[in-house]
Amino acid sequence: MVTVENTVNWLKNFADKIETNKAYLSDLDRAIGDGDHGNNMARGVQAMVEKLDDSEPTSVQAVLKTASMALLSKIGGASGPLYGTALLEMSKQAKEDQIEVKSLVEAGLAGIQKRGKAEVGEKTMVDLWAPVLDHLNKQTLSKEAIDEAVNATKDLKATKGRASYVGDRSIGAIDPGAASSGYLFEAMMEEGV
Ligand code: ADP
Ligand code: MG
Ligand code: MG
């Protein structure tokens, strides 16, 4: 079940993973983009943790909304509005008492696609969120499945975002936004959300 406590723990665990892997995420972005994804994300999650600690939200909806606003205003780059919108749509979805995690992820993915207009196969974070949603629907999500989805972005050619500028040269590299989203869902699993 999704609760205030496990949602806060989920987002803080995500923040830890971003901080730990900041240099790696920027390295991934250096290969096919401008090398700032790790720093962008770290700035965002730091602000998110501060806001969560300051405001002590008392509903899942408020937790996700608070996180969304912090990420939106602090990540910057292409991924800021995308993560911000994902969390905002998740918060809108989280208004009932019995919240299902798959309906949250579904709403988040819809927000990312509405905002960024990327389809599956364009080498973006959509290529992580979409298979994660499939696995949630089939109750087959695992850390291995998340890793597999992150690694599968290697084979894709980027046709959206900054990585599309390098064209065929993007093939063979992991998409940084898919990798950071992988940490989001690993953290979700670890916290039992
Ligand atoms: P920027 O490209 O502005 O420097 P970041 O480096 O923080 O921003 O984020 C890059 C990531 O954003 C990409 O790896 C990709 O996953 C994601 N991204 C970029 N454009 C889109 C889009 N239109 N839809 C979904 N995700 C996108
Ligand atoms: Mg970048
Ligand atoms: Mg940038």
Side-chain angles (χ1 to χ4, degrees):
M1 204 175 76
V2 186
T3 64
V4 170
E5 196 189 0
N6 68 20
T7 307
V8 169
N9 290 343
W10 167 19
L11 295 171
K12 289 190 173 177
N13 185 329
F14 173 51
D16 285 346
K17 290 187 192 299
I18 293 295
E19 196 56 49
T20 305
N21 296 289
K22 180 165 84 171
Y24 170 66
L25 290 171
S26 284
D27 285 346
L28 291 180
D29 194 29
R30 202 163 296 118
I32 59 171
D34 58 356
D36 60 0
H37 189 62
N39 287 311
N40 288 346
M41 292 301 298
R43 203 167 52 237
V45 296
Q46 226 164 39
M48 176 183 79
V49 169
E50 279 169 25
K51 282 276 184 232
L52 288 171
D53 285 340
D54 287 351
S55 62
E56 297 184 10
T58 54
S59 68
V60 174
Q61 179 158 51
V63 172
L64 292 168
K65 174 104 184 275
T66 302
S68 150
M69 292 301 142
L71 295 180
L72 190 63
S73 65
K74 284 289 172 3
I75 296 179
S79 52
L82 294 165
Y83 271 103
T85 305
L87 274 282
L88 186 64
E89 292 303 318
M90 288 163 79
S91 88
K92 288 186 195 161
Q93 187 64 35
K95 52 182 181 289
E96 307 112 48
D97 287 346
Q98 298 280 320
I99 306 152
E100 279 200 273
V101 79
K102 62 184 178 191
S103 63
L104 292 186
V105 174
E106 188 174 21
L109 173 60
I112 290 170
Q113 291 196 277
K114 193 171 162 207
R115 184 95 199 199
K117 310 275 183 255
E119 299 295 334
V120 167
E122 296 199 275
K123 200 183 185 90
T124 70
M125 61 176 73
V126 169
D127 293 301
L128 195 286
W129 284 69
V132 163
L133 177 60
D134 281 346
H135 280 293
L136 285 170
N137 283 325
K138 291 189 288 194
Q139 299 187 321
T140 53
L141 189 64
S142 62
K143 183 170 184 311
E144 292 68 38
I146 295 169
D147 282 348
E148 200 180 300
V150 170
N151 282 318
T153 65
K154 275 188 191 172
D155 302 336
L156 302 171
K157 176 180 164 179
T159 50
K160 281 282 185 319
R162 200 177 286 277
S164 65
Y165 306 163
V166 302
D168 284 338
R169 280 202 296 121
S170 70
I171 299 170
I174 288 174
D175 176 63
S180 61
S181 297
Y183 298 134
L184 178 68
F185 294 113
E186 277 180 24
M188 183 186 87
M189 296 203 73
E190 285 171 12
E191 300 304 330
V193 180

Coordinates of all heavy atoms in Angstrom, one line a residue, residues 34 36 40 77 162, ligand 3:
D34 N 25.1 16.8 -22.8 CA 26.0 17.9 -22.4 C 26.6 17.7 -21.0 O 27.2 18.6 -20.4 CB 25.2 19.3 -22.4 CG 24.0 19.2 -21.6 OD1 23.7 18.1 -21.0 OD2 23.3 20.3 -21.5
D36 N 25.4 17.1 -18.0 CA 25.0 17.7 -16.7 C 23.9 16.9 -16.0 O 23.4 17.4 -14.9 CB 24.5 19.2 -17.0 CG 23.3 19.2 -18.0 OD1 22.9 18.1 -18.4 OD2 22.8 20.3 -18.3
N40 N 22.3 18.1 -12.5 CA 20.9 18.5 -12.5 C 20.0 17.8 -11.5 O 19.3 18.4 -10.7 CB 20.3 18.3 -13.9 CG 20.9 19.3 -15.0 OD1 21.5 20.2 -14.7 ND2 20.6 19.0 -16.2
G77 N 17.3 22.0 -17.1 CA 17.5 21.1 -18.3 C 16.1 20.5 -18.7 O 15.1 20.9 -18.2
R162 N 18.3 16.3 -26.4 CA 19.7 16.7 -26.8 C 20.4 15.6 -27.5 O 21.2 15.8 -28.4 CB 20.4 17.2 -25.6 CG 21.6 18.0 -25.8 CD 22.2 18.5 -24.5 NE 21.4 19.5 -23.9 CZ 21.5 20.8 -24.2 NH1 22.4 21.2 -25.1 NH2 20.8 21.7 -23.5
Ligands
MG3 MG 21.7 20.6 -20.0

